[in-house]
Amino acid sequence: MSLSRRELLRRAESGAAPGAMRRIRALFESPHKMSEKLEPVRTSADATLHLWRTRLITSGLPLLSLNGIRLLVRKLQTLPPDTALEQYGLTGPTFAGNVYFHSSTGEFLGDTIVKHHAKSREMLELDARISHPSRKTA
Amino acid sequence: MQQSQLVVYRGVHAQHPALAAARRGIVTPGDMDGTVTPAEHNRGDVSADSPYTSWTFDRSIAESHADEYGPGGVILMLTFSAPEPGDKWSWEGSPDLFDEDEVLLRGYRTGATVEEI
């Protein structure tokens, strides 16, 4: 079911903790786009749990900025693995991430919203090689 | 694989739909014709519809992804080199939202080095 940002915010408000609401509002930082429709991605609790449990380990971001992911993982661990989820994702100028709801009940399950970070000099150099590839090295 | 060349790594977990291909050194995205963007791919949970696969310059990150469902996953390795004329794949930058030293491979490739974990 596609949702406007305003509808998504309303659904999240019924179950999200204050910290999650702050992140979602920060993601929706362009008020004039509030009526824009977002299309959900269908996924399962099991697949989503494994992905984000791993990303908690692999992410180089400071632990505090992974609060949403930590809470999402904790919530997903309580659900049957085949529980169907709806994921709504958005990339804003300052923040980006996904918001997850239970497909059947509409319950807010969590978010993976984080602030964009500056890439390291090494990664910027590698990105530049992709933009201007030579035969020797991408 | 020569030591001096830059290597990128991909972890393929034990329940991954492309595991059988990965064991033969074949890299297949979820959907070659998918319209998923690099930003959407990097945000997660859209791999099945994506023309991209995720790679990292940090082997330990690939190992963690390969181990996502326990033993049975593999690590794929490629040299970070530009495609030859006529190749149907390309490297693309990732927003790398979660700071995983990620780079994206668009398309289908063969010949990856495979390592069991």
Side-chain angles (χ1 to χ4, degrees), chain A residues 37-54:
Chain A
K37 291 284 184 187
L38 301 170
E39 292 296 327
V41 171
R42 313 280 173 189
T43 181
S44 72
D46 183 57
T48 302
L49 171 62
H50 280 89
L51 169 65
W52 293 105
R53 198 162 52 191
T54 302

PDB file of all heavy atoms in Angstrom, chain A residues 37-54:
ATOM      1  N   LYS A  37       3.867  10.284  -2.622  1.00  0.00           N
ATOM      2  CA  LYS A  37       3.576   8.883  -2.278  1.00  0.00           C
ATOM      3  C   LYS A  37       4.857   8.047  -2.246  1.00  0.00           C
ATOM      4  O   LYS A  37       5.726   8.177  -3.117  1.00  0.00           O
ATOM      5  CB  LYS A  37       2.622   8.276  -3.315  1.00  0.00           C
ATOM      6  CG  LYS A  37       1.213   8.844  -3.261  1.00  0.00           C
ATOM      7  CD  LYS A  37       0.457   8.265  -2.085  1.00  0.00           C
ATOM      8  CE  LYS A  37      -0.988   8.768  -2.081  1.00  0.00           C
ATOM      9  NZ  LYS A  37      -1.714   8.358  -0.861  1.00  0.00           N
ATOM     10  N   LEU A  38       4.969   7.207  -1.244  1.00  0.00           N
ATOM     11  CA  LEU A  38       6.099   6.284  -1.123  1.00  0.00           C
ATOM     12  C   LEU A  38       5.597   4.870  -1.365  1.00  0.00           C
ATOM     13  O   LEU A  38       4.558   4.474  -0.823  1.00  0.00           O
ATOM     14  CB  LEU A  38       6.713   6.375   0.279  1.00  0.00           C
ATOM     15  CG  LEU A  38       7.239   7.740   0.695  1.00  0.00           C
ATOM     16  CD1 LEU A  38       7.590   7.743   2.173  1.00  0.00           C
ATOM     17  CD2 LEU A  38       8.449   8.109  -0.138  1.00  0.00           C
ATOM     18  N   GLU A  39       6.309   4.107  -2.173  1.00  0.00           N
ATOM     19  CA  GLU A  39       5.923   2.731  -2.473  1.00  0.00           C
ATOM     20  C   GLU A  39       6.675   1.781  -1.539  1.00  0.00           C
ATOM     21  O   GLU A  39       7.893   1.898  -1.394  1.00  0.00           O
ATOM     22  CB  GLU A  39       6.260   2.374  -3.926  1.00  0.00           C
ATOM     23  CG  GLU A  39       5.425   3.113  -4.953  1.00  0.00           C
ATOM     24  CD  GLU A  39       3.948   2.775  -4.865  1.00  0.00           C
ATOM     25  OE1 GLU A  39       3.618   1.623  -4.520  1.00  0.00           O
ATOM     26  OE2 GLU A  39       3.125   3.675  -5.133  1.00  0.00           O
ATOM     27  N   PRO A  40       5.966   0.827  -0.938  1.00  0.00           N
ATOM     28  CA  PRO A  40       6.666  -0.080  -0.017  1.00  0.00           C
ATOM     29  C   PRO A  40       7.419  -1.180  -0.752  1.00  0.00           C
ATOM     30  O   PRO A  40       7.056  -1.559  -1.867  1.00  0.00           O
ATOM     31  CB  PRO A  40       5.512  -0.688   0.784  1.00  0.00           C
ATOM     32  CG  PRO A  40       4.360  -0.684  -0.154  1.00  0.00           C
ATOM     33  CD  PRO A  40       4.533   0.539  -1.022  1.00  0.00           C
ATOM     34  N   VAL A  41       8.457  -1.692  -0.115  1.00  0.00           N
ATOM     35  CA  VAL A  41       9.133  -2.903  -0.542  1.00  0.00           C
ATOM     36  C   VAL A  41       8.678  -3.997   0.418  1.00  0.00           C
ATOM     37  O   VAL A  41       8.636  -3.779   1.631  1.00  0.00           O
ATOM     38  CB  VAL A  41      10.667  -2.724  -0.455  1.00  0.00           C
ATOM     39  CG1 VAL A  41      11.385  -4.039  -0.695  1.00  0.00           C
ATOM     40  CG2 VAL A  41      11.134  -1.664  -1.443  1.00  0.00           C
ATOM     41  N   ARG A  42       8.290  -5.141  -0.124  1.00  0.00           N
ATOM     42  CA  ARG A  42       7.865  -6.267   0.726  1.00  0.00           C
ATOM     43  C   ARG A  42       9.089  -7.083   1.112  1.00  0.00           C
ATOM     44  O   ARG A  42       9.913  -7.414   0.257  1.00  0.00           O
ATOM     45  CB  ARG A  42       6.889  -7.178  -0.025  1.00  0.00           C
ATOM     46  CG  ARG A  42       5.785  -6.434  -0.744  1.00  0.00           C
ATOM     47  CD  ARG A  42       4.703  -6.035   0.189  1.00  0.00           C
ATOM     48  NE  ARG A  42       3.733  -5.187  -0.512  1.00  0.00           N
ATOM     49  CZ  ARG A  42       2.757  -4.529   0.080  1.00  0.00           C
ATOM     50  NH1 ARG A  42       2.615  -4.605   1.382  1.00  0.00           N
ATOM     51  NH2 ARG A  42       1.919  -3.786  -0.607  1.00  0.00           N
ATOM     52  N   THR A  43       9.171  -7.425   2.375  1.00  0.00           N
ATOM     53  CA  THR A  43      10.279  -8.255   2.829  1.00  0.00           C
ATOM     54  C   THR A  43       9.796  -9.112   3.998  1.00  0.00           C
ATOM     55  O   THR A  43       8.624  -9.045   4.368  1.00  0.00           O
ATOM     56  CB  THR A  43      11.495  -7.363   3.214  1.00  0.00           C
ATOM     57  OG1 THR A  43      12.572  -8.194   3.635  1.00  0.00           O
ATOM     58  CG2 THR A  43      11.148  -6.370   4.304  1.00  0.00           C
ATOM     59  N   SER A  44      10.689  -9.940   4.527  1.00  0.00           N
ATOM     60  CA  SER A  44      10.304 -10.798   5.650  1.00  0.00           C
ATOM     61  C   SER A  44      11.128 -10.437   6.871  1.00  0.00           C
ATOM     62  O   SER A  44      12.237  -9.895   6.757  1.00  0.00           O
ATOM     63  CB  SER A  44      10.539 -12.272   5.304  1.00  0.00           C
ATOM     64  OG  SER A  44      11.920 -12.536   5.286  1.00  0.00           O
ATOM     65  N   ALA A  45      10.572 -10.769   8.040  1.00  0.00           N
ATOM     66  CA  ALA A  45      11.280 -10.473   9.290  1.00  0.00           C
ATOM     67  C   ALA A  45      12.641 -11.160   9.318  1.00  0.00           C
ATOM     68  O   ALA A  45      13.631 -10.572   9.754  1.00  0.00           O
ATOM     69  CB  ALA A  45      10.431 -10.914  10.483  1.00  0.00           C
ATOM     70  N   ASP A  46      12.695 -12.391   8.814  1.00  0.00           N
ATOM     71  CA  ASP A  46      13.935 -13.165   8.859  1.00  0.00           C
ATOM     72  C   ASP A  46      15.036 -12.503   8.020  1.00  0.00           C
ATOM     73  O   ASP A  46      16.151 -12.287   8.506  1.00  0.00           O
ATOM     74  CB  ASP A  46      13.665 -14.582   8.350  1.00  0.00           C
ATOM     75  CG  ASP A  46      14.891 -15.458   8.432  1.00  0.00           C
ATOM     76  OD1 ASP A  46      15.437 -15.594   9.540  1.00  0.00           O
ATOM     77  OD2 ASP A  46      15.319 -15.986   7.392  1.00  0.00           O
ATOM     78  N   ALA A  47      14.706 -12.173   6.765  1.00  0.00           N
ATOM     79  CA  ALA A  47      15.718 -11.580   5.873  1.00  0.00           C
ATOM     80  C   ALA A  47      16.173 -10.225   6.411  1.00  0.00           C
ATOM     81  O   ALA A  47      17.373  -9.904   6.411  1.00  0.00           O
ATOM     82  CB  ALA A  47      15.150 -11.430   4.469  1.00  0.00           C
ATOM     83  N   THR A  48      15.227  -9.447   6.886  1.00  0.00           N
ATOM     84  CA  THR A  48      15.553  -8.110   7.387  1.00  0.00           C
ATOM     85  C   THR A  48      16.385  -8.200   8.667  1.00  0.00           C
ATOM     86  O   THR A  48      17.354  -7.463   8.853  1.00  0.00           O
ATOM     87  CB  THR A  48      14.252  -7.314   7.617  1.00  0.00           C
ATOM     88  OG1 THR A  48      13.550  -7.271   6.375  1.00  0.00           O
ATOM     89  CG2 THR A  48      14.529  -5.897   8.079  1.00  0.00           C
ATOM     90  N   LEU A  49      16.022  -9.140   9.531  1.00  0.00           N
ATOM     91  CA  LEU A  49      16.777  -9.322  10.772  1.00  0.00           C
ATOM     92  C   LEU A  49      18.238  -9.668  10.484  1.00  0.00           C
ATOM     93  O   LEU A  49      19.157  -9.083  11.071  1.00  0.00           O
ATOM     94  CB  LEU A  49      16.131 -10.432  11.616  1.00  0.00           C
ATOM     95  CG  LEU A  49      16.929 -10.890  12.834  1.00  0.00           C
ATOM     96  CD1 LEU A  49      17.122  -9.757  13.833  1.00  0.00           C
ATOM     97  CD2 LEU A  49      16.222 -12.069  13.527  1.00  0.00           C
ATOM     98  N   HIS A  50      18.453 -10.625   9.570  1.00  0.00           N
ATOM     99  CA  HIS A  50      19.833 -11.038   9.283  1.00  0.00           C
ATOM    100  C   HIS A  50      20.650  -9.889   8.703  1.00  0.00           C
ATOM    101  O   HIS A  50      21.801  -9.681   9.090  1.00  0.00           O
ATOM    102  CB  HIS A  50      19.840 -12.248   8.346  1.00  0.00           C
ATOM    103  CG  HIS A  50      19.589 -13.531   9.054  1.00  0.00           C
ATOM    104  ND1 HIS A  50      18.336 -14.040   9.249  1.00  0.00           N
ATOM    105  CD2 HIS A  50      20.443 -14.387   9.668  1.00  0.00           C
ATOM    106  CE1 HIS A  50      18.421 -15.170   9.934  1.00  0.00           C
ATOM    107  NE2 HIS A  50      19.678 -15.407  10.201  1.00  0.00           N
ATOM    108  N   LEU A  51      20.040  -9.156   7.766  1.00  0.00           N
ATOM    109  CA  LEU A  51      20.770  -8.043   7.152  1.00  0.00           C
ATOM    110  C   LEU A  51      21.198  -7.012   8.190  1.00  0.00           C
ATOM    111  O   LEU A  51      22.368  -6.623   8.262  1.00  0.00           O
ATOM    112  CB  LEU A  51      19.885  -7.359   6.092  1.00  0.00           C
ATOM    113  CG  LEU A  51      20.420  -6.029   5.553  1.00  0.00           C
ATOM    114  CD1 LEU A  51      21.726  -6.238   4.796  1.00  0.00           C
ATOM    115  CD2 LEU A  51      19.388  -5.342   4.657  1.00  0.00           C
ATOM    116  N   TRP A  52      20.262  -6.593   9.043  1.00  0.00           N
ATOM    117  CA  TRP A  52      20.570  -5.484   9.951  1.00  0.00           C
ATOM    118  C   TRP A  52      21.375  -5.930  11.160  1.00  0.00           C
ATOM    119  O   TRP A  52      22.136  -5.143  11.727  1.00  0.00           O
ATOM    120  CB  TRP A  52      19.289  -4.729  10.335  1.00  0.00           C
ATOM    121  CG  TRP A  52      18.769  -4.054   9.116  1.00  0.00           C
ATOM    122  CD1 TRP A  52      17.700  -4.423   8.350  1.00  0.00           C
ATOM    123  CD2 TRP A  52      19.359  -2.929   8.437  1.00  0.00           C
ATOM    124  NE1 TRP A  52      17.586  -3.604   7.250  1.00  0.00           N
ATOM    125  CE2 TRP A  52      18.580  -2.678   7.283  1.00  0.00           C
ATOM    126  CE3 TRP A  52      20.469  -2.126   8.684  1.00  0.00           C
ATOM    127  CZ2 TRP A  52      18.878  -1.643   6.394  1.00  0.00           C
ATOM    128  CZ3 TRP A  52      20.767  -1.099   7.806  1.00  0.00           C
ATOM    129  CH2 TRP A  52      19.968  -0.864   6.677  1.00  0.00           C
ATOM    130  N   ARG A  53      21.236  -7.196  11.544  1.00  0.00           N
ATOM    131  CA  ARG A  53      22.089  -7.709  12.616  1.00  0.00           C
ATOM    132  C   ARG A  53      23.549  -7.692  12.152  1.00  0.00           C
ATOM    133  O   ARG A  53      24.454  -7.353  12.899  1.00  0.00           O
ATOM    134  CB  ARG A  53      21.654  -9.128  12.998  1.00  0.00           C
ATOM    135  CG  ARG A  53      22.165  -9.576  14.338  1.00  0.00           C
ATOM    136  CD  ARG A  53      21.420 -10.748  14.900  1.00  0.00           C
ATOM    137  NE  ARG A  53      21.322 -11.853  13.957  1.00  0.00           N
ATOM    138  CZ  ARG A  53      20.536 -12.913  14.123  1.00  0.00           C
ATOM    139  NH1 ARG A  53      19.781 -13.018  15.204  1.00  0.00           N
ATOM    140  NH2 ARG A  53      20.485 -13.872  13.237  1.00  0.00           N
ATOM    141  N   THR A  54      23.760  -8.046  10.870  1.00  0.00           N
ATOM    142  CA  THR A  54      25.116  -8.015  10.324  1.00  0.00           C
ATOM    143  C   THR A  54      25.614  -6.580  10.198  1.00  0.00           C
ATOM    144  O   THR A  54      26.767  -6.277  10.527  1.00  0.00           O
ATOM    145  CB  THR A  54      25.149  -8.710   8.947  1.00  0.00           C
ATOM    146  OG1 THR A  54      24.694 -10.039   9.110  1.00  0.00           O
ATOM    147  CG2 THR A  54      26.560  -8.719   8.373  1.00  0.00           C
TER     148      THR A  54
END
